[in-house]
Amino acid sequence: MPAGRRGRKWIRLALYCLVVLDASPIRYLYLQYGVDGTWVFVLNYAAAHGLKVGRDIFFTYGPLAYLTFPQAFGNNLTEGLIFQTCLWFFLAWEIACLFFRANLPLRNLVLFTVFFALSTPLYWVNLGGVENLVLVITLVELHLYRLRGHLRHYVFALVSVGVVPLIKLSACLIASAALVGFLADRIMQDGRKAKREIALALLVPAAVAGVLLSAELSGWQGVFRYLHSTADLIGGYTAAMSHEGSLSQLGMAVVVLAVLIYLLFRQAKENSGWARFSICVFAGPVLLSFKHGFARQLGHVFIYFGFMALAAALISLKIPLDRRRAFSVAVAVAIFTFSWEFASFGKGVPSTEDTMACASGLLNAHYVWGALRPAQLRQSLAPSTSGFKPIWLIEPAIQAIVAGSPIASLSDSYTAFAANGWNPRFLPIIQMYSAYTPYLDGLNAAWIRDSGPPFLIYDGRTIDDRDSWAATPATWLEVYRWYETRWLGPRNLLLQRRAAPRFTGLDSVARFTVTVPHSLLLPPSAAPVFWSRRCGHSLTGKIRLLLFRVAATEMRVNYETGIVRRARIIPEMLGSPVMGTYLPATLAEFAAVFQPNGEIAAVREIAFGGPGIGNYASACEVELWRLRE
């Protein structure tokens, strides 16, 4: 074999190994404090104790998600590593098809490798991300089917679309958008001859997802409840979780899009059919990844840049790379890399070093090495709060009072339940901040009413400066009905369930229409007064909710003492009655509300405004309520 040919063979093999390493799904997590650490803990704890995501508890992840970020609860670690290893073997096989069976030029594979390395932060999304490697299977198999015409590639793509909802439904939306685009291209190319692909697309993913979800969730009723709750989690995300970021990142997003368009232009010059295929397959996913990355820009923006790198990698497989175009393509790659670097470093992973470790494969190699020593790994991952700061722990006095009784948390961070003999129970929506639609809030409220444990604990913290009671009013109404203060500590408030409810229900006492922006004056009353507020979306608000994000809407609370407090609200949640007479902000104020004759300043006036107020209709219906004994 000539030396040059032998050298190209080894380069191809080296590139293949790097891509396979970058595509490694091997993950396992220590117990971590914080919002993200909490949902990882709950999903792992639930799986080890017979609770099912989608049936007993609900989150943005599905019933098999714990396999992608296992912790040392029950058999989770073993099951997770087996699942991840099987997934990695399949990824290695399909990448081998690209590198060794698709007759692709080496220079195109070099470009593919560069872009794929830049996509790796997409596979480390806030302690998750493995679901995006299942998305990689879908996209690569669709490309292999277009390249080679073997039906098995298309069937594998469809099966992956059916499997990914069990991990994360939002990833399924992107995969489904790519599949719809693929079918549109086939129809434009083959017309009626595409009926086989269409029939399989309608049958295979639905059958795979339906059978697996039904088996996991004990029947079709569980499937429908899972789909309903997840649809609400996805649909309500923009209104509840929007968070602005720097304009420079938005500018870099435009630059990256321009580079992708340039690559499509180069592809069209060589083969217009491939350019049409790429546009059809990636148009929907690019829009969805932009929305996902920029709705809550802080900490999520790299999702967009990671997906754009993945799209560029696959597009680069079929663009001309002769010497005449080498310089312009090299400039495009350099611009893309600079934009990725500028926007991604420190925005979704802990540091610049970790971002580079993702792209180089070093981070994956570290996890693979750890997985090769399972006994030592299990010992090091054993749930423990020994490394937690004292302020992250629950006061010993609370644990002494609870004494092993069932307890649930109204806080967003409660990984301290993972050790030290706690007997945790979980609200259906496992963290209060994510119960951001009336349906989701209602699930938690019904659970508090019908299945609430003897004790609840709350640390008084909220995300994005939200007002606690206005964020999930139905849940807090049931907490107020059924619980009272047992103990107030420096970090947490302990509530105990009453033998009988405080009240039986609410009665409407007034209803009127107001014009935005407006203030709500509360009438003097010896008993607490509740209020509700319903506003539709303006045209601007509907467009922003669909395509981008919304600015924050605020509530200004004026107390009788003259104190003024501002808090973010989710207007969609205010159709449920909110206690207006008392709007506690500190743990001491919460404790006072929940105990008889507690002293707390009453609210005099509530004003609504903020930069996001224009996203809602100018006329709102307000209703006042009182307690029914």
Side-chain angles (χ1 to χ4, degrees):
M1 181 184 296
R5 185 177 177 185
R6 186 183 303 111
R8 288 193 295 272
K9 179 181 177 180
W10 282 107
I11 292 173
R12 186 182 293 259
L13 181 60
L15 294 173
Y16 166 76
C17 292
L18 177 57
V19 172
V20 170
L21 182 58
D22 279 339
S24 168
I26 303 300
R27 308 279 192 276
Y28 41 84
L29 297 177
Y30 298 89
L31 192 67
Q32 299 181 34
Y33 177 80
V35 173
D36 290 329
T38 295
W39 59 257
V40 169
F41 148 64
V42 174
L43 298 188
N44 273 275
Y45 186 95
H49 289 80
L51 301 175
K52 289 291 185 182
V53 178
R55 185 190 67 194
D56 307 301
I57 58 176
F58 304 90
F59 195 59
T60 54
Y61 282 89
L64 297 185
Y66 75 97
L67 298 174
T68 67
F69 40 74
Q71 294 180 315
F73 290 97
N75 294 321
N76 291 5
L77 188 59
T78 301
E79 294 171 1
L81 291 177
I82 292 173
F83 172 82
Q84 294 166 13
T85 301
C86 293
L87 177 61
W88 198 13
F89 276 124
F90 191 85
L91 283 162
W93 172 81
E94 69 167 11
I95 294 169
C97 291
L98 275 181
F99 273 74
F100 305 114
R101 299 180 183 177
N103 297 319
L104 294 169
L106 179 60
R107 60 179 69 94
N108 290 80
L109 293 175
V110 171
L111 194 56
F112 171 85
T113 303
V114 171
F115 280 122
F116 193 85
L118 296 180
S119 76
T120 49
L122 182 64
Y123 318 128
W124 293 87
V125 180
N126 294 339
L127 305 185
V130 172
E131 69 278 0
N132 292 320
L133 286 171
V134 182
L135 173 62
V136 169
I137 292 176
T138 301
L139 295 173
V140 172
E141 293 290 5
L142 290 178
H143 274 72
L144 286 170
Y145 181 56
R146 183 72 159 73
L147 277 167
R148 308 180 70 202
H150 295 171
L151 185 61
R152 68 173 180 271
H153 291 304
Y154 184 55
V155 173
F156 286 147
L158 297 179
V159 171
S160 68
V161 174
V163 169
V164 73
L166 281 83
I167 302 174
K168 196 172 186 181
L169 193 59
S170 58
C172 180
L173 294 180
I174 297 178
S176 299
L179 178 59
V180 170
F182 168 83
L183 293 175
D185 173 70
R186 298 298 290 186
I187 292 171
M188 286 186 281
Q189 178 180 334
D190 299 331
R192 292 185 178 181
K193 294 181 180 179
K195 59 184 179 182
R196 180 183 67 170
E197 284 91 344
I198 295 173
L200 288 173
L202 292 174
L203 176 63
V204 175
V208 171
V211 170
L212 292 178
L213 283 172
S214 180
E216 282 291 319
L217 304 179
S218 305
W220 290 102
Q221 185 176 2
V223 174
F224 293 137
R225 195 178 185 203
Y226 167 63
L227 294 177
H228 188 177
S229 62
T230 308
D232 265 48
L233 284 163
I234 295 173
Y237 183 87
T238 301
M241 303 295 291
S242 287
H243 199 294
E244 295 183 3
S246 67
L247 288 176
S248 60
Q249 289 179 334
L250 194 58
M252 292 299 101
V254 175
V255 172
V256 164
L257 179 61
V259 172
L260 199 70
I261 292 173
Y262 167 76
L263 295 177
L264 288 169
F265 174 75
R266 292 259 59 93
Q267 194 178 62
K269 296 287 284 186
E270 176 77 9
N271 189 318
S272 60
W274 267 104
R276 183 190 64 227
F277 170 84
S278 298
I279 292 171
C280 289
V281 168
F282 290 116
V286 165
L287 287 174
L288 289 172
S289 64
F290 174 81
K291 173 69 182 296
H292 193 186
F294 281 88
R296 190 171 179 82
Q297 187 172 336
L298 184 64
H300 290 76
V301 67
F302 71 94
I303 293 173
Y304 168 78
F305 289 92
F307 183 83
M308 293 296 277
L310 176 60
L314 291 166
I315 291 170
S316 67
L317 292 172
K318 294 297 290 184
I319 63 174
L321 291 176
D322 52 43
R323 293 181 180 179
R324 291 180 302 162
R325 301 177 179 88
F327 178 76
S328 61
V329 171
V331 171
V333 173
I335 292 173
F336 191 105
T337 304
F338 171 79
S339 302
W340 172 90
E341 177 182 350
F342 182 86
S344 296
F345 277 170
K347 303 302 179 184
V349 291
S351 66
T352 298
E353 291 75 14
D354 285 337
T355 307
M356 293 304 298
C358 282
S360 65
L362 292 176
L363 185 60
N364 285 344
H366 169 77
Y367 275 82
V368 172
W369 176 252
L372 295 175
R373 299 169 294 172
Q376 183 177 343
L377 179 63
R378 176 173 290 277
Q379 183 178 2
S380 65
L381 293 179
S384 172
T385 58
S386 60
F388 283 19
K389 296 179 181 179
I391 60 172
W392 297 346
L393 301 176
I394 299 173
E395 295 88 337
I398 291 181
Q399 190 164 17
I401 295 172
V402 173
S405 298
I407 182 171
S409 178
L410 302 173
S411 309
D412 295 326
S413 300
Y414 51 93
T415 45
F417 278 172
N420 302 325
W422 292 98
N423 185 8
R425 299 292 185 269
F426 305 111
L427 279 74
I429 310 303
I430 58 177
Q431 290 169 295
M432 292 279 278
Y433 82 89
S434 56
Y436 43 58
T437 72
Y439 173 74
L440 301 174
D441 188 23
L443 290 178
N444 279 355
W447 186 85
I448 290 290
R449 181 189 65 236
D450 301 331
S451 307
F455 295 99
L456 297 175
I457 192 172
Y458 182 54
D459 65 8
R461 301 174 185 172
T462 62
I463 68 170
D464 299 340
D465 297 320
R466 292 183 190 174
D467 181 88
S468 294
W469 283 34
T472 50
T475 301
W476 279 110
L477 178 64
E478 292 301 330
V479 174
Y480 182 68
R481 186 200 304 253
W482 284 102
Y483 288 84
E484 61 187 9
T485 296
R486 174 63 188 274
W487 191 82
L488 174 63
R491 299 187 298 273
N492 292 281
L493 169 66
L494 182 67
L495 302 175
Q496 187 168 11
R497 193 170 181 91
R498 296 164 54 96
R502 274 194 174 88
F503 55 94
T504 59
L506 297 178
D507 293 320
S508 176
V509 295
R511 180 182 297 173
F512 48 91
T513 300
V514 297
T515 301
V516 174
H518 68 90
S519 296
L520 176 62
L521 292 172
L522 296 176
S525 174
V529 175
F530 291 72
W531 55 270
S532 61
R533 176 180 177 270
R534 293 180 176 85
C535 298
H537 293 99
S538 64
L539 178 60
T540 301
K542 292 177 181 178
I543 294 173
R544 292 181 69 92
L545 282 169
L546 180 64
L547 299 178
F548 194 40
R549 62 171 174 246
V550 296
T553 305
E554 297 177 349
M555 177 175 70
R556 189 182 73 247
V557 183
N558 299 319
Y559 295 91
E560 289 184 347
T561 57
I563 296 175
V564 178
R565 177 173 66 88
R566 293 180 181 273
R568 181 172 179 173
I569 56 173
I570 307 170
E572 290 83 353
M573 299 298 296
L574 303 182
S576 298
V578 181
M579 181 183 284
T581 304
Y582 307 117
L583 283 172
T586 66
L587 278 182
E589 291 173 345
F590 273 94
V593 169
F594 282 102
Q595 65 187 18
N597 303 317
E599 295 185 2
I600 180 174
V603 174
R604 181 183 61 194
E605 180 185 17
I606 303 171
F608 302 92
I613 198 69
N615 295 314
Y616 298 89
S618 58
C620 299
E621 183 180 282
V622 176
E623 194 165 2
L624 299 181
W625 309 77
R626 63 177 175 82
L627 298 178
R628 184 191 315 137
E629 300 298 334

